[in-house]
DNA sequence: CAATTAGTTAAGTGAAAACTTTACTATTTG
DNA sequence: CAAATAGTAAAGTTTTCACTTAACTAATTG
């Protein structure tokens, strides 16, 4: 019963990789930067005091998780945020949270009826 | 300009700890279990093939992040989900995502006007 | 074309994280 | 009360992760 099983269309997203990518504060800082617009690797590196090589590795993690897309033109690799990955993670959390909240409501209703 | 700065009330939540806690698949499995209702440590441990000691450690991480609350009665420690932490993480993602989506819209509008 | 800029790749280091083992305490139950 | 159950705490092991260094390629610019 309850809601019909949703068709699995968007399973290109690996929730494991997404949450792992989001687990690191530097990668979240990169995402935050990219939310204001696309940026080259060297631009992303500037405010973070780590080497460009480290930034490259973080961006690779973000890219294989699907949270970021990159494209190289000339010698510049431009990174841009890919919002669908975030949506997938938001959905995961929302599902768990609402499942729990519904459970709580039912419990409260039962207790209220006594 | 733009929106007024939101008063910081709910900063009891450490977004760093929350995202770190969510970064581990075993901890997400525990949360998933708890979304269906509170459970004792030993119940949580059963489907995961790791020792109870390891589960205790995961639950400690979840608890210090605020995603889970636990209480010991007799010899049983019962764990229950705390949805507010998830909401905080959802909010973080939604903010970054919508910032980016608004940016995209403005860009599209500009291009559309040409 | 020489110098600079942007990024890449591989290998190594150190620290954090996940997990186990072991020994132990407190509670419950037959 | 003896045995079983539920969890705890500390210490050690293994694995993963973030980061650096260093040597290199390709594109751009003075």
């Amino acid at each position: 019963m309850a809601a019909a099983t949703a068709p699995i269309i968007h399973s290109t997203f690996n929730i494991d990789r997404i949450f792992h990518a989001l687990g690191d504060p530097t990668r979240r800082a990169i995402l935050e930067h990219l939310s204001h617009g696309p940026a080259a690797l060297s631009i992303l590196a500037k405010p973070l005091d780590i080497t460009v090589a480290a930034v490259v590795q973080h961006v690779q993690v973000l890219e294989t998780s699907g949270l970021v897309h990159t494209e190289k033109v000339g010698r510049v690799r431009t990174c841009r945020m890919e919002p669908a990955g975030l949506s997938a993670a938001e959905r995961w959390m929302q599902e768990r949270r609402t499942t729990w909240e519904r459970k709580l409501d039912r419990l409260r209703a039962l207790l209220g009826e006594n």
Side-chain angles (χ1 to χ4, degrees), chain A:
Chain A
M1 328 260 145
T5 342
I8 303 153
I9 303 175
H10 41 263
S11 272
T12 329
F13 299 113
N14 191 333
I15 220 77
D16 273 30
R17 285 186 209 280
I18 291 175
F19 275 109
H20 169 249
L22 290 168
D24 182 85
T26 303
R27 283 192 291 264
R28 284 200 308 283
I30 290 174
L31 273 184
E32 178 126 37
H33 189 138
L34 292 180
S35 75
H36 298 107
L41 282 177
S42 49
I43 299 294
L44 290 174
K46 228 168 275 171
L48 312 167
D49 56 339
I50 52 179
T51 60
V52 184
V55 175
V56 169
Q57 287 163 16
H58 280 304
V59 167
Q60 273 165 2
V61 171
L62 287 166
E63 194 171 20
T64 59
S65 78
L67 287 165
V68 160
H69 177 256
T70 82
E71 196 174 0
K72 196 168 180 178
V73 174
R75 62 182 169 177
V76 174
R77 180 172 295 279
T78 303
C79 309
R80 124 171 89 75
M81 197 174 143
E82 204 65 69
L86 278 188
S87 297
E90 284 177 63
R91 218 177 302 128
W92 187 93
M93 293 177 162
Q94 204 178 34
E95 279 163 10
R96 305 314 170 248
R97 186 170 52 76
T98 57
T99 297
W100 169 245
E101 282 165 352
R102 272 198 297 270
K103 195 105 195 166
L104 253 194
D105 285 351
R106 266 175 281 145
L107 187 64
R108 272 196 278 262
L110 267 168
L111 292 175
E113 277 164 16
N114 289 353

